[in-house]
Amino acid sequence: MKYAQNSRIDFLLSAEGMADCYVEVKSVTLLENGQGYFPDAASTRGQKHLQDLMQMVDEGHRAVLLFLVQHEGIFNVSAAAHIDPVYADLLEQAKAHGVQVIALKARREGEKYLADQVLNDSLGEKG
C-alpha cells in the first residue's frame, strides 16, 4: 500500500476508534561475531523508510519498524553503523520520534514459520 512520499508500507493495521498503524518489516541476515546487524549494505531506501515512519507519527498514526530474524545464529540485533552510519543515526531519531522498534526471531515448525521470540531492545545502538 502506498503511503508517505512514494513509498509502500508492508502492513497497514487499522481498527475502528484507533490510530492506523504503519508497519515496515526488515529482514536481518547479517551475522558478525555473534551479533546481528541491519542493514547489510548502505541503504538509502531503508533511510527513506525511517523518514516515512517518522512522518506517519507526525500525522498522528502509530509506526512500527519490525526487524525479523530468520538466521539461527542471531539472538541480538543492532544498527550496522559500521556499514551505514546514516541509517544508524536515523534509527535513533526514529525511536526518539516515537517509532516503535521491535525485533522478532522466527523459527520453522513443520510447514510454518513462527515469529514468537522478542529479541533484545538494543536496536538503535550503534554497532
Side-chain angles (χ1 to χ4, degrees):
M1 165 174 224
K2 289 186 177 180
Y3 82 115
Q5 297 180 30
N6 269 340
S7 289
R8 291 186 177 268
I9 193 69
D10 292 315
F11 296 98
L12 173 59
L13 308 176
S14 61
E16 191 173 324
M18 299 179 75
D20 285 344
C21 181
Y22 290 79
V23 181
E24 180 70 32
V25 180
K26 301 294 184 194
S27 181
V28 179
T29 58
L30 179 60
L31 175 64
E32 291 181 352
N33 301 317
Q35 173 70 43
Y37 290 102
F38 187 89
D40 60 3
S43 177
T44 55
R45 184 171 166 242
Q47 294 167 17
K48 183 179 183 310
H49 290 161
L50 289 172
Q51 293 166 334
D52 292 341
L53 289 172
M54 287 188 276
Q55 179 184 337
M56 292 302 98
V57 171
D58 287 342
E59 293 178 10
H61 304 292
R62 184 174 173 205
V64 176
L65 180 59
L66 173 63
F67 288 99
L68 184 62
V69 176
Q70 298 178 60
H71 191 296
E72 290 182 9
I74 297 174
F75 295 94
N76 190 28
V77 179
S78 291
H82 61 295
I83 294 172
D84 190 343
V86 174
Y87 185 90
D89 288 341
L90 280 170
L91 182 57
E92 283 296 315
Q93 291 174 36
K95 288 172 58 178
H97 205 81
V99 174
Q100 183 179 2
V101 179
I102 302 169
L104 289 178
K105 185 158 179 80
R107 61 185 167 85
R108 187 173 178 159
E109 190 173 279
E111 294 295 315
K112 58 187 171 185
Y113 280 91
L114 302 173
D116 60 357
Q117 181 183 356
V118 178
L119 298 183
N120 68 344
D121 61 356
S122 69
L123 285 161
E125 290 178 5
K126 297 178 182 177

